[in-house]
Amino acid sequence: MSERSERSERPDRPALLHDLLDHAAARWPERPAVTSGDHTLSYRELDAASRRLAAWLHACGLRRGERLVVCAPGSTAQPALVYAASRAGVAFSLLHEQVHGIQLDHVLDDCEPGLLVTDSPDSQFAAQRRGVRTATTQAVAAVAFADTPAPEAVRPGPLAVDPVCLIYTSGTTSLPKAVVSTHQQLTFSAAAIQSMLEYRADDVVYSPLPLSFDYGLYQLFVSAQAGARVVLGRPAEVGPALLGNLVRAGATVLAAVPSVAEALARLLRRASPDRPPLRLLTNTGAAMPAETLKALRSSLPGLRVQLMFGLTECKRATIMPPDGDLQRPGSSGRALPGTEVFVVDDDGRRRPPGEIGEIVVRGPNVMAGYWRRPALTAQRFRRVEGLLPQLHTGDYGWVDEEGYLYFDGRRDDIYKENGFRVSATEVEAAARRVPGVGEAAVLPPTGSSPALLFAVGELSPAEVLQGMREQIEEFKIPRRCEIVAALPLTGNGKVDRKALAALTQEATRVRAR
């Protein structure tokens, strides 16, 4: 058996999340660990900052099992705070910086944190009204980067089975739900992913993804195993600055979603001689267009691509070998080492290769369930014959004879746009909360057409979309809105989305005349 095969079948797993950082700091103390803007921390500095912040969390009154919520732009202090929470036995939840108002109120009421880190006065007031302590990002940075010795470990420390992370994700309800990850589930997933991607010690991993997006967050953990450096870009970075930032950073790995990859391909087609030293591009969240990959490979000789499929509930389900998309177009790869991916029929029976069914994931990468959602947890995380829960994803596809997965679509209201998971139910509920909107319905994106919101009311499309900015994050709001007199209904009173699609096609034909 080859060295790679042995690593792939038995990924080395630390017991606790902060063990990843401790091991990296011991092996590569002066190697750059993370950069945000013009600030870089070595692994030794990141380790020390996390220890100071762990003691500070304890001094703030947070004890093992309590929760920390962070709602702020990315910075070098955030990774330190993540590892600090792990040391203190506190479960952290990183929210997108655009979360506020009703969405933030929901999180505060749902997970009842002991501390909220935010610079928003409105968010601070919302927390304080609930008796939740608050701190600014400046206060966190002052503790993290103080010129003081790193304190001893906080006692008692966490167990591997303790929750360490709550990630709020869209679902088939009007408000997000939190996926709970324990230390052992998170560290297994990170090690299994690294065994496939094989980040290197000299890699510079550029991540334009928010740390609230688990794909962005795991760049820290996968990189720590290799001693690589992570450069935190800006969320959903798709503008002209992307190419220059990659070149200046000396990026060798790009964690991409389709919108980022497409923007880079456009920028590279221009006459600029600048070319980043990218050797690897990864993708998850949404299918990557083959045309985009062809353009990137043409502009960046030597670039390799690894496509992936996953959900927050299992982090990553499948990964393609490098450039595997060229041999198996349309595939999302094979199951992570030590896990299993298969498809089942409506009765839960496994389907043979080549037949479409619901995608199920089984293994230590399947997370603990949903925070305070026992009924939904039982529905999605099912136990079979006394085994560990297996995740019924709600996604449909088929597996070939060699175990490669092919995605076919979803059967619920979740859709992907720009790599982010969005719930049509959540978007519709947000639109209905806008004063002046009576009813609302969303058509998910199809092909090159983005999601489209239909609203009933007296407001203009621009007024509806502006009102929604007070309700949900910007990236969840459809770019287009159509005002209609009424929503078409089916015979059983549900919104007739086929009729909505026909309305859209007719409106497009009228505008084209």
Side-chain angles (χ1 to χ4, degrees):
M1 183 181 290
S2 70
E3 179 182 350
R4 174 173 177 147
S5 297
E6 290 179 350
R7 278 204 314 274
S8 298
E9 291 189 6
R10 297 189 300 273
D12 183 23
R13 282 191 290 148
L16 303 169
L17 174 59
H18 58 273
D19 289 343
L20 295 173
L21 178 57
D22 290 347
H23 293 174
R27 187 172 181 185
W28 308 288
E30 302 309 321
R31 184 166 289 164
V34 61
T35 296
S36 179
D38 58 0
H39 191 213
T40 297
L41 294 177
S42 68
Y43 277 103
R44 175 183 57 79
E45 291 168 331
L46 180 58
D47 185 84
S50 72
R51 293 174 186 275
R52 294 187 194 99
L53 285 171
W56 174 73
L57 290 173
H58 197 263
C60 288
L62 273 72
R63 297 294 183 265
R64 190 171 72 181
E66 296 194 51
R67 276 79 58 201
L68 162 71
V69 172
V70 181
C71 185
S75 69
T76 51
Q78 274 198 23
L81 194 53
V82 163
Y83 286 118
S86 172
R87 294 186 192 283
V90 171
F92 66 87
S93 182
L94 303 182
L95 304 182
H96 194 283
E97 61 188 273
Q98 295 174 355
V99 172
H100 64 286
I102 291 172
Q103 297 288 303
L104 180 64
D105 289 344
H106 165 68
V107 172
L108 295 176
D109 292 336
D110 187 55
C111 78
E112 298 180 298
L115 177 68
L116 169 67
V117 175
T118 181
D119 292 332
S120 165
D122 289 342
S123 298
Q124 292 168 356
F125 177 73
Q128 292 161 4
R129 194 172 66 241
R130 292 167 168 80
V132 176
R133 185 168 180 166
T134 64
T136 64
T137 55
Q138 184 177 4
V140 171
V143 174
F145 309 134
D147 189 17
T148 58
E152 295 297 322
V154 174
R155 302 294 180 191
L159 303 178
V161 293
D162 286 343
V164 66
C165 179
L166 274 64
I167 298 180
Y168 279 86
T169 180
S170 295
T172 53
T173 58
S174 61
L175 291 168
K177 60 188 181 298
V179 176
V180 181
S181 303
T182 67
H183 287 266
Q184 63 186 13
Q185 291 159 349
L186 191 154
T187 54
F188 173 89
S189 299
I193 293 168
Q194 166 60 3
S195 75
M196 296 295 293
L197 299 185
E198 294 191 324
Y199 284 6
R200 304 170 184 170
D202 59 351
D203 272 330
V204 176
V205 180
Y206 194 89
S207 178
L209 311 165
L211 295 179
S212 58
F213 185 12
D214 59 344
Y215 183 22
L217 178 64
Y218 271 70
Q219 299 309 313
L220 300 174
F221 311 145
V222 176
S223 297
Q225 296 172 89
R229 171 188 172 203
V230 178
V231 177
L232 302 178
R234 295 297 300 158
E237 187 173 331
V238 296
L242 174 62
L243 178 56
N245 290 342
L246 290 170
V247 171
R248 281 189 294 275
T252 59
V253 176
L254 175 61
V257 292
S259 58
V260 171
E262 289 162 6
L264 179 59
R266 287 195 305 270
L267 293 167
L268 289 169
R269 281 195 291 266
R270 298 176 181 175
S272 172
D274 293 335
R275 293 289 184 272
L278 286 175
R279 69 168 188 87
L280 176 65
L281 180 142
T282 64
N283 173 73
T284 190
M288 182 70 76
E291 299 79 9
T292 300
L293 295 180
K294 182 178 179 180
L296 288 172
R297 285 175 166 130
S298 175
S299 298
L300 299 170
L303 176 70
R304 308 199 78 181
V305 173
Q306 287 189 261
L307 304 182
M308 306 182 289
F309 166 74
L311 301 88
T312 306
E313 289 86 347
C314 65
K315 182 58 203 102
R316 190 72 66 243
T318 61
I319 299 181
M320 285 291 276
D323 293 335
D325 58 296
L326 298 176
Q327 285 74 46
R328 291 180 170 82
S331 175
S332 301
R334 291 196 291 187
L336 292 180
T339 76
E340 187 178 15
V341 173
F342 52 94
V343 301
V344 299
D345 62 19
D346 291 341
D347 296 320
R349 295 186 295 261
R350 294 199 185 201
R351 309 207 76 168
E355 293 192 13
I356 293 175
E358 184 183 10
I359 300 169
V360 177
V361 181
R362 181 169 172 264
N365 58 330
V366 173
M367 301 306 173
Y370 299 114
W371 176 259
R372 294 178 176 173
R373 300 287 194 281
L376 188 57
T377 296
Q379 176 187 340
R380 296 288 298 279
F381 297 81
R382 303 181 193 174
R383 292 184 179 273
V384 179
E385 299 174 353
L387 301 175
L388 288 174
Q390 58 189 33
L391 173 65
H392 287 245
T393 65
D395 293 313
Y396 281 69
W398 57 278
V399 177
D400 69 14
E401 294 280 359
E402 297 181 65
Y404 284 86
L405 176 69
Y406 293 78
F407 183 75
D408 185 63
R410 292 193 65 86
R411 301 295 189 268
D412 58 23
D413 80 331
I414 304 297
Y415 60 86
K416 294 287 184 68
E417 190 157 50
N418 293 327
F420 291 97
R421 193 179 186 201
V422 182
S423 162
T425 300
E426 182 183 356
V427 174
E428 291 164 356
R432 287 192 296 269
R433 290 195 295 265
V434 175
V437 174
E439 293 295 332
V442 171
L443 280 184
T446 55
S448 60
S449 300
L452 174 60
L453 173 68
F454 289 87
V456 177
E458 301 300 322
L459 301 181
S460 69
E463 289 171 331
V464 173
L465 297 178
Q466 180 59 39
M468 290 180 67
R469 292 184 174 91
E470 299 299 318
Q471 306 294 332
I472 56 174
E473 303 95 310
E474 181 76 28
F475 67 87
K476 294 180 181 178
I477 300 173
R479 283 175 277 172
R480 289 182 54 205
C481 174
E482 296 280 350
I483 303 299
V484 294
L487 296 177
L489 302 178
T490 64
N492 60 9
K494 296 183 178 181
V495 174
D496 189 338
R497 298 184 191 276
K498 289 184 178 179
L500 283 177
L503 285 176
T504 304
Q505 293 169 0
E506 177 61 27
T508 301
R509 284 195 294 268
V510 170
R511 283 194 291 267
R513 290 173 185 169

